[in-house]
Amino acid sequence: QFTLGIVKRLYAKYVLKNADIILAVSKFTESEVYARTKPRMLNVVYNGINIEKFLPKKRKENLVLTVAGSGYNLGDDISETENIIKLKGIDTFARAAERFPNTNFFVIGLSKLGIRILKKKYPFPNLEFTGYVPQTELLEFYRRAKVYCQLSFRESFGVALAEAMACGCVPVVTDRGALPEVVGDTGFYVQYGDGKATAEAIGNALISDREAIARKRIEDMFSLRERE
């Protein structure tokens, strides 16, 4: 919330100041809270993934996926949309797609304005944008994709990342926010905004055999059972 404008920052500050209990979804989020306030009570409780629903079923395809989100990147505000593209590292993802002309790259959940901006700047035939998709369709993308990218400037947890890993996607992520907490040693790390390094990591992920260990990490650490 602190990256999404002054109004949402004010909301967040009010909640942090007045809440009786704060449940941080990662150790990174815990540190962010302590940097801004002294809460009455704060515990880390990781998000939980339904591993009975999010599970691999089909042979993986030569497909690289990222989820841009949905709820807060709708609308026609150009500056806010461009900020979301940067914040989520979608521009870095698009630049990496150019290096793999025979590999399909999908961006899920970007607004219509965001799609227009990126299509104009990165008109690559292997780079596709779906806009919003229902969860059943998103689940099929997870199951098909060999690689999932989360190239964000910051993430408090990374639910889409964890869902994708549960479906056997090999993660390529930035070394920022809570992403290392989710991925551990199961994926590939890049610096934020480094298109060349991102392309190299994607190439390595495509030929790796880390699908099972990515799934196992979610089973062991981030299942609904663990959250309960």
Side-chain angles (χ1 to χ4, degrees):
Q1 297 297 320
F2 282 88
T3 64
L4 299 176
I6 188 170
V7 174
K8 291 186 177 180
R9 284 201 298 273
L10 291 173
Y11 290 158
K13 287 181 178 179
Y14 179 84
V15 170
L16 294 178
K17 181 179 179 181
N18 292 281
D20 294 316
I21 303 172
I22 297 173
L23 300 180
V25 296
S26 64
K27 292 179 181 178
F28 168 75
T29 306
E30 178 187 42
S31 68
E32 291 284 279
V33 172
Y34 278 130
R36 291 173 170 82
T37 189
K38 293 182 178 179
R40 300 173 189 176
M41 182 181 294
L42 173 61
N43 288 315
V44 175
V45 181
Y46 285 116
N47 287 313
I49 304 301
N50 185 346
I51 58 174
E52 303 301 323
K53 175 181 179 180
F54 292 94
L55 75 172
K57 282 190 175 180
K58 299 178 181 178
R59 175 181 290 184
K60 291 294 186 179
E61 300 177 21
N62 196 31
L63 189 157
V64 183
L65 178 68
T66 193
V67 173
S70 56
Y72 58 76
N73 62 0
L74 303 176
D76 296 318
D77 187 305
I78 292 178
S79 62
E80 183 177 1
T81 300
E82 289 179 340
N83 182 51
I84 292 298
I85 290 171
K86 288 288 185 183
L87 184 67
K88 290 291 185 179
I90 308 302
D91 50 344
T92 306
F93 183 83
R95 293 200 306 274
E98 186 177 16
R99 296 172 178 262
F100 298 89
N102 297 318
T103 301
N104 293 320
F105 281 64
F106 279 86
V107 178
I108 307 292
L110 198 61
S111 67
K112 291 180 180 179
L113 176 59
I115 292 172
R116 290 199 300 271
I117 290 171
L118 287 171
K119 276 189 172 182
K120 184 177 180 180
K121 193 172 183 180
Y122 305 104
F124 310 137
N126 65 320
L127 179 60
E128 300 187 41
F129 303 90
T130 68
Y132 169 79
V133 299
Q135 192 171 75
T136 53
E137 189 175 341
L138 177 59
L139 177 57
E140 288 306 308
F141 272 107
Y142 288 149
R143 289 172 172 168
R144 291 170 55 199
K146 167 75 175 187
V147 176
Y148 181 86
C149 294
Q150 194 72 60
L151 306 175
S152 307
F153 179 78
R154 65 191 294 128
E155 287 286 347
S156 60
F157 180 79
V159 171
L161 166 66
E163 290 174 346
M165 289 172 63
C167 292
C169 296
V170 180
V172 174
V173 300
T174 51
D175 54 353
R176 301 183 65 91
L179 298 179
E181 290 180 63
V182 177
V183 173
D185 60 359
T186 69
F188 297 85
Y189 290 93
V190 297
Q191 289 188 344
Y192 171 76
D194 190 333
K196 182 179 178 181
T198 298
E200 290 175 356
I202 290 172
N204 290 330
L206 284 168
I207 61 174
S208 74
D209 59 354
R210 299 191 184 188
E211 296 95 329
I213 63 170
R215 162 78 183 179
K216 185 69 163 51
R217 183 167 177 84
I218 303 304
E219 289 178 341
D220 291 344
M221 295 189 64
F222 306 111
S223 68
L224 291 177
R225 180 187 65 251
E226 289 299 314
R227 179 174 173 83
E228 289 166 4

